Amino acid sequence: MSSATLASLLPLPVVILIVGAAVCPLAARISARAPVVVAVLSCGGAAGVLALFAPAVLDGRLLVEYLGKWEPVRGAALGIAFAADPLGLSYALAATVVGMILAVFTLSMLGGLGRRELGGYACLFLLLDAALVGVALTADLFNLFVWFEVAALASYALTGFFLERPTALEAAFKILVLTTMASFCVFIGTGLLYASYGALNFGQLHEALRHGTDPTSLIALGLLVAGYGTKAGVVPFHGWLPDAHTAAPGPVSALFSGLMVTLGIVGIARITFQIYDQPPPVLGVLMVVALVSALVGALLSLGQDDLKRLLAYDTVSQLGVVTAGLAIGTPLGLAGATYHLLNHTLFKSLLFLCAGTVLHSTGKERLSELGGLGRRMPVVAVAFVVGIVAIAGVPPLNGYASLGLIHQGLEETHQYAALVVLTISQVVTVAALSRAAWLVFFRRRSERYPSRESARPGMVAGFAALAVLCVAFGVAPAVLLSEVMAPAAGWLLEGERYAHAVLAGGGQVGRLPLSFDYLAPATILVVVGTVVVGVLLAWRYAGGRTPRFVEPLRRLHTGSVNDYATYLVVGLIVVCAGLLLG
């Protein structure tokens, strides 16, 4: 199939998902489970179309399609462009494949709901997935904002899906307020760039900005980073994330943590490298945000008694790690960030499915009320341990290679202080998750649980699929680095070539010569050290006591949407000031 033919199919995955979303409420009239079946088929169909692009895109080609054939004239673009590069395609494939797994899981966990409820749920689920694929493929700044809004609208309703629960209503209100503020930042930042340069196309904006930036364009960059940083849930823009992840149904929590939050990371990566061509000030700002997020998220997860809230704060930490990879700004750093972003999708989705199953089966999600589930739910226990080992970076699971690449990138650029902070955050992450595993699955509990359902076949299939993917992404790092991560880093670093390709209707970039020493003694020693110290720290606080050093951070997280909105505004001001003064 020619490149032109492939490029003409770029909008099709989004179309399949949106059509599926429209069909779901109608399918509910046939049977209660029909909408979820439609969701499974829609995600599978979209993934199948995206897979057609993989051979060409991973070979270094950029596929470009202008909707309505409104192609650029003399370097000026009016039409909306879809462009498939390795980063976007990998993220879109992750969104559809993991979305299909989560939809299958939903059939088992929520299949007993009524027709109307499942019809609405499946519709919103597919709209959110369509927005993720749209973000992955668009090459237009305003269209990126549109998909941001579609994802936001779907997330409000999914967060408050069990509206009879007061926590769901409160969480939906918080995400509404904070994401609306983020949308305003994105909209104003986009408007400033359009007013200054008369362009929205990524390629055209890059051409306009490559000769230098002025205060207006830097303020626009600060607004965009704050807006997409809020969607990513990095500190200090993270206030909505723990409540939304805790209140949503299990599969939705997995979708939020595994995929929706990474929408913000993809947005920041595109703006930083493919529009602004990585101006040095923004890399420094992103590194500070990354390190604070990694450490604060890990510390807050160690002090949690609620299992889903613990995992939510760990998401803040892991996205800080991904952002650190971006902030390195080198081939190794960007390859590691892309790798860890995909890995996060897998292991965090797995952990949230485990947490949702524990709640579904026991009616409890507080660590202090749980225990002894290892014998009652062995499949869930094994899946949870696999997720922890993956996040801990233990070979042969997937986190080992991605963390190793990011650490190697920090060493290469002599950012040893940042490396120390990330290592400390990794130790605390291992401690928090190990403590949760002990309290939920392995400590003895004398009191019997009320009789509830155990994991059904569709739920077991979800655990198995994600666990297998965690292993698969870990045992073949050389292939993934060469075939996926290196091309992704290449298109991010070659901003000028990307701009030319978008405006010319396609292009090619060579593969970067990247390598990762899987058996490097220093890397293995760091892994062993972080796991041992992390487990000892988990044992120290296994009794449920909150560490004293976490208390100041917990006091800042009051639960008040006013406080979180204040943190967002202060963060925006600090980011803009850092860019202007840098």
Side-chain angles (χ1 to χ4, degrees), residues 322-344:
V322 175
T323 306
L326 290 179
I328 296 170
T330 65
L332 277 176
L334 293 176
T338 303
Y339 206 158
H340 204 66
L341 184 146
L342 298 177
N343 287 341
H344 174 82

Short mmCIF file of all heavy atoms in Angstrom, two decimals, residues 322-344:
data_model
loop_
_atom_site.label_atom_id
_atom_site.label_comp_id
_atom_site.label_asym_id
_atom_site.label_seq_id
_atom_site.Cartn_x
_atom_site.Cartn_y
_atom_site.Cartn_z
N VAL A 322 8.47 10.34 33.58
CA VAL A 322 8.36 10.50 32.13
C VAL A 322 8.77 11.92 31.72
O VAL A 322 9.52 12.12 30.74
CB VAL A 322 6.93 10.19 31.65
CG1 VAL A 322 6.80 10.47 30.15
CG2 VAL A 322 6.56 8.75 31.94
N THR A 323 8.28 12.91 32.47
CA THR A 323 8.61 14.30 32.16
C THR A 323 10.11 14.56 32.30
O THR A 323 10.69 15.34 31.53
CB THR A 323 7.82 15.24 33.07
OG1 THR A 323 6.43 14.94 32.99
CG2 THR A 323 8.01 16.70 32.67
N ALA A 324 10.75 13.90 33.26
CA ALA A 324 12.20 14.04 33.40
C ALA A 324 12.91 13.55 32.15
O ALA A 324 13.89 14.16 31.69
CB ALA A 324 12.68 13.27 34.63
N GLY A 325 12.43 12.45 31.58
CA GLY A 325 13.02 11.96 30.34
C GLY A 325 12.91 12.98 29.22
O GLY A 325 13.86 13.22 28.46
N LEU A 326 11.73 13.61 29.11
CA LEU A 326 11.56 14.67 28.10
C LEU A 326 12.50 15.83 28.36
O LEU A 326 13.09 16.40 27.43
CB LEU A 326 10.11 15.18 28.12
CG LEU A 326 9.01 14.26 27.61
CD1 LEU A 326 7.66 14.96 27.73
CD2 LEU A 326 9.25 13.85 26.16
N ALA A 327 12.63 16.22 29.64
CA ALA A 327 13.42 17.40 29.98
C ALA A 327 14.91 17.20 29.74
O ALA A 327 15.65 18.17 29.61
CB ALA A 327 13.19 17.77 31.45
N ILE A 328 15.37 15.95 29.67
CA ILE A 328 16.79 15.71 29.35
C ILE A 328 17.10 16.25 27.95
O ILE A 328 18.15 16.83 27.70
CB ILE A 328 17.12 14.21 29.45
CG1 ILE A 328 16.96 13.74 30.90
CG2 ILE A 328 18.54 13.94 28.97
CD1 ILE A 328 17.03 12.23 31.06
N GLY A 329 16.15 16.04 27.02
CA GLY A 329 16.27 16.63 25.70
C GLY A 329 17.31 15.99 24.80
O GLY A 329 17.71 16.57 23.80
N THR A 330 17.75 14.78 25.13
CA THR A 330 18.72 14.05 24.31
C THR A 330 18.05 12.80 23.74
O THR A 330 16.97 12.41 24.20
CB THR A 330 19.95 13.64 25.15
OG1 THR A 330 19.52 12.70 26.16
CG2 THR A 330 20.58 14.84 25.81
N PRO A 331 18.68 12.15 22.75
CA PRO A 331 18.08 10.92 22.22
C PRO A 331 17.79 9.87 23.29
O PRO A 331 16.71 9.27 23.30
CB PRO A 331 19.13 10.43 21.22
CG PRO A 331 19.82 11.67 20.77
CD PRO A 331 19.86 12.56 21.96
N LEU A 332 18.72 9.66 24.22
CA LEU A 332 18.48 8.67 25.27
C LEU A 332 17.31 9.07 26.16
O LEU A 332 16.47 8.24 26.52
CB LEU A 332 19.75 8.51 26.13
CG LEU A 332 20.84 7.57 25.61
CD1 LEU A 332 22.04 7.60 26.54
CD2 LEU A 332 20.30 6.15 25.48
N GLY A 333 17.28 10.33 26.55
CA GLY A 333 16.20 10.80 27.41
C GLY A 333 14.84 10.68 26.75
O GLY A 333 13.88 10.21 27.38
N LEU A 334 14.74 11.09 25.50
CA LEU A 334 13.46 11.04 24.80
C LEU A 334 13.03 9.60 24.52
O LEU A 334 11.84 9.27 24.61
CB LEU A 334 13.55 11.83 23.50
CG LEU A 334 13.73 13.34 23.67
CD1 LEU A 334 13.92 14.02 22.33
CD2 LEU A 334 12.54 13.94 24.40
N ALA A 335 13.99 8.75 24.20
CA ALA A 335 13.65 7.33 24.00
C ALA A 335 13.17 6.72 25.31
O ALA A 335 12.18 5.96 25.34
CB ALA A 335 14.86 6.57 23.49
N GLY A 336 13.84 7.05 26.42
CA GLY A 336 13.41 6.56 27.71
C GLY A 336 12.05 7.08 28.12
O GLY A 336 11.23 6.35 28.69
N ALA A 337 11.77 8.36 27.81
CA ALA A 337 10.47 8.93 28.15
C ALA A 337 9.36 8.25 27.36
O ALA A 337 8.30 7.92 27.91
CB ALA A 337 10.47 10.43 27.85
N THR A 338 9.57 8.02 26.06
CA THR A 338 8.58 7.33 25.24
C THR A 338 8.35 5.91 25.75
O THR A 338 7.21 5.45 25.88
CB THR A 338 9.04 7.28 23.77
OG1 THR A 338 9.29 8.61 23.31
CG2 THR A 338 7.98 6.63 22.90
N TYR A 339 9.43 5.23 26.07
CA TYR A 339 9.36 3.85 26.58
C TYR A 339 8.58 3.81 27.90
O TYR A 339 7.69 2.98 28.10
CB TYR A 339 10.78 3.34 26.77
CG TYR A 339 10.96 1.84 26.70
CD1 TYR A 339 12.21 1.29 26.42
CD2 TYR A 339 9.91 0.96 26.92
CE1 TYR A 339 12.40 -0.09 26.34
CE2 TYR A 339 10.09 -0.41 26.86
CZ TYR A 339 11.33 -0.93 26.57
OH TYR A 339 11.52 -2.29 26.51
N HIS A 340 8.91 4.73 28.80
CA HIS A 340 8.27 4.71 30.12
C HIS A 340 6.80 5.13 30.04
O HIS A 340 5.97 4.65 30.81
CB HIS A 340 9.02 5.62 31.10
CG HIS A 340 8.82 5.24 32.53
ND1 HIS A 340 9.29 4.06 33.06
CD2 HIS A 340 8.18 5.87 33.55
CE1 HIS A 340 8.96 3.98 34.35
NE2 HIS A 340 8.28 5.06 34.67
N LEU A 341 6.49 6.01 29.09
CA LEU A 341 5.09 6.40 28.88
C LEU A 341 4.25 5.18 28.49
O LEU A 341 3.16 4.97 29.02
CB LEU A 341 5.01 7.49 27.82
CG LEU A 341 3.64 8.10 27.53
CD1 LEU A 341 3.79 9.57 27.17
CD2 LEU A 341 2.94 7.38 26.37
N LEU A 342 4.76 4.39 27.56
CA LEU A 342 4.05 3.18 27.14
C LEU A 342 4.02 2.15 28.27
O LEU A 342 3.00 1.49 28.49
CB LEU A 342 4.70 2.58 25.90
CG LEU A 342 4.70 3.48 24.65
CD1 LEU A 342 5.45 2.81 23.52
CD2 LEU A 342 3.28 3.81 24.21
N ASN A 343 5.12 2.01 28.99
CA ASN A 343 5.16 1.08 30.11
C ASN A 343 4.16 1.48 31.20
O ASN A 343 3.50 0.63 31.80
CB ASN A 343 6.57 1.02 30.70
CG ASN A 343 7.54 0.28 29.81
OD1 ASN A 343 7.14 -0.48 28.94
ND2 ASN A 343 8.83 0.52 30.00
N HIS A 344 4.10 2.79 31.47
CA HIS A 344 3.15 3.28 32.47
C HIS A 344 1.72 2.91 32.10
O HIS A 344 0.92 2.52 32.96
CB HIS A 344 3.27 4.79 32.62
CG HIS A 344 2.25 5.39 33.52
ND1 HIS A 344 2.37 5.39 34.89
CD2 HIS A 344 1.06 5.99 33.26
CE1 HIS A 344 1.31 5.96 35.43
NE2 HIS A 344 0.50 6.33 34.46
#
